[in-house]
Amino acid sequence: MQGSIERVRAVLRGEMPDRAPLYDLLRNDAVIGHFAGETLTLENAARVVYRAYAPALDATRPVVRMPDAEGTSVTEDGRQQRRFRWTAWTAPEAYASSEDYAASKRAYLRAYDPAWNEQKERALQERLAWMSEQRALLGEVFFFPGAPGGFVQSLYGEVGLEAFVYYVADYPEVIEGLMDVQMHEALAWIEHLPPEHGIEAVFMGDDIAYNAGPFWRPAWFAAHYFPRLQRVVQAYHQRGIAVLFHSDGNLNPIMDGLVEAGIDGLNPLEVLAGMDAGELHRRYPHLFLAGGIDVSQLLPFGSPQQVRDAVVQALDATGGRMMVGSSTELNNEVPLANYLALREAVCQYRYH
């Protein structure tokens, strides 16, 4: 019987594990309390949240979040921030016009210094120390740390997606310059990893699609996104690191490009956006999948038996190249009984 970490390593190697790994983020009071054996509170969260992971899951990715007191605040630059128990929202930064945005970013690009320096080295070492700490706190749970490599989510996260799509159309050269900075920083970070970096696989998050399809046409991704992604993925591979790529939404029109860029795995398989685990496995049998059980409708509102049926169907369709979990994160709307049904179905499933 394999342990959780070796179970996930088997999937990364393209081998058949003894059973499918359970992969998720725990942001659910009932589930955490059940597996930790203690009711979760704000006061005990730092201890109780981590205690729940090993009995509940085989693998997770950043960020292992603690619950927060709900409220509002203002950031240093004057933007409103709202905190909920398991999430937070910050108002986007506003520019008066596309011209103002372009002028600000051009000034940033002119001042950008690509040289590796003491500050970047210190940040790298602090990040590696944080990864090591997370692995220690999670114990037997395989940890996919977040690492440099996304190109657009951080850019539109600053200003909001609606404004950003106008900036892409109005000033494409500015956006390309910003993407080049992201790529260069990722490549430099990977290049300066020490020989004993301890990273087996990274979580590369970059939400690039919504339910109807990618944010931009496939031709835009082919020209601007995939060549940069490929360079970063190849750099990770040269250091012996696998890449689990994450994006919500319907990626089907650009899946060929993502796979050709070299990604090793895909998460979270947003079912209601049309991401079908069986079809993805048929098209890309070498790709390992993570997620795949709908958390928009099925997990919060379905019956335990419907959850079990969905798990069995997904595992039957993917032939073992899947780490089973929610299609984003295990949020507070999911009843404990439904997660227990998911976990039970995975643990009882036997490969044919």
Side-chain angles (χ1 to χ4, degrees), residues 239-296:
R239 302 306 304 270
I241 300 170
V243 175
L244 174 59
F245 184 86
H246 167 99
S247 174
D248 295 339
N250 181 359
L251 300 168
N252 286 311
I254 57 172
M255 275 303 305
D256 285 351
L258 286 170
V259 172
E260 288 167 7
I263 66 169
D264 302 286
L266 184 68
N267 168 257
L269 315 184
E270 196 171 351
V271 179
L272 295 190
M275 299 297 289
D276 181 84
E279 178 62 16
L280 288 166
H281 177 67
R282 185 191 67 78
R283 291 170 61 187
Y284 315 105
H286 70 285
L287 199 67
F288 75 86
L289 307 173
I293 307 301
D294 172 49
V295 77
S296 298

Side-chain angles (χ1 to χ4, degrees), residues 5-219:
I5 290 177
E6 193 53 43
R7 187 172 292 129
V8 174
R9 285 172 176 161
V11 173
L12 295 178
R13 293 191 299 262
E15 300 170 0
M16 193 72 77
D18 60 340
R19 66 160 173 80
L22 288 150
Y23 168 99
D24 228 310
L25 275 177
L26 298 183
R27 296 178 180 175
N28 183 300
D29 285 60
V31 171
I32 291 170
H34 175 83
F35 285 99
E38 183 177 351
T39 300
L40 176 65
T41 68
L42 295 179
E43 292 71 27
N44 67 18
R47 171 171 48 83
V48 170
V49 169
Y50 281 102
R51 188 198 296 169
Y53 267 79
L57 297 172
D58 298 295
T60 192
R61 49 95 166 178
V63 175
V64 178
R65 189 186 296 275
M66 300 296 117
D68 200 356
E70 298 194 9
T72 60
S73 59
V74 178
T75 63
E76 291 183 0
D77 58 3
R79 291 182 287 163
Q80 184 186 41
Q81 186 175 70
R82 297 180 62 188
R83 301 183 311 279
F84 305 93
R85 184 164 178 84
W86 289 105
T87 60
W89 172 85
T90 302
E93 185 169 345
Y95 289 84
S97 64
S98 292
E99 291 81 3
D100 284 353
Y101 176 84
S104 174
K105 297 308 178 185
R106 284 183 178 130
Y108 165 77
L109 291 171
R110 287 193 299 270
Y112 170 68
D113 182 1
W116 191 256
N117 56 39
E118 184 178 336
Q119 181 180 2
K120 293 179 182 180
E121 177 64 27
R122 184 167 58 252
L124 169 61
Q125 295 302 325
E126 289 173 354
R127 187 69 175 176
L128 292 175
W130 173 82
M131 292 178 184
S132 179
E133 178 186 52
Q134 292 299 300
R135 287 193 289 266
L137 288 168
L138 288 165
E140 182 56 21
V141 177
F142 189 101
F143 180 54
F144 288 85
F151 300 111
V152 295
Q153 186 172 355
S154 62
L155 299 180
Y156 73 70
E158 175 198 10
V159 296
L161 182 59
E162 183 176 354
F164 184 72
V165 295
Y166 285 103
Y167 303 156
V168 173
D170 294 341
Y171 294 97
E173 76 285 356
V174 172
I175 302 304
E176 289 180 45
L178 295 172
M179 292 173 68
D180 280 339
V181 168
Q182 302 264 31
M183 180 184 69
H184 177 84
E185 289 296 301
L187 292 173
W189 192 91
I190 298 165
E191 178 187 351
H192 286 86
L193 285 171
E196 301 301 323
H197 52 72
I199 305 172
E200 299 181 62
V202 294
F203 174 89
M204 186 186 294
D206 206 22
D207 283 338
I208 54 176
Y210 53 97
N211 282 4
F215 291 156
W216 296 276
R217 293 180 179 179

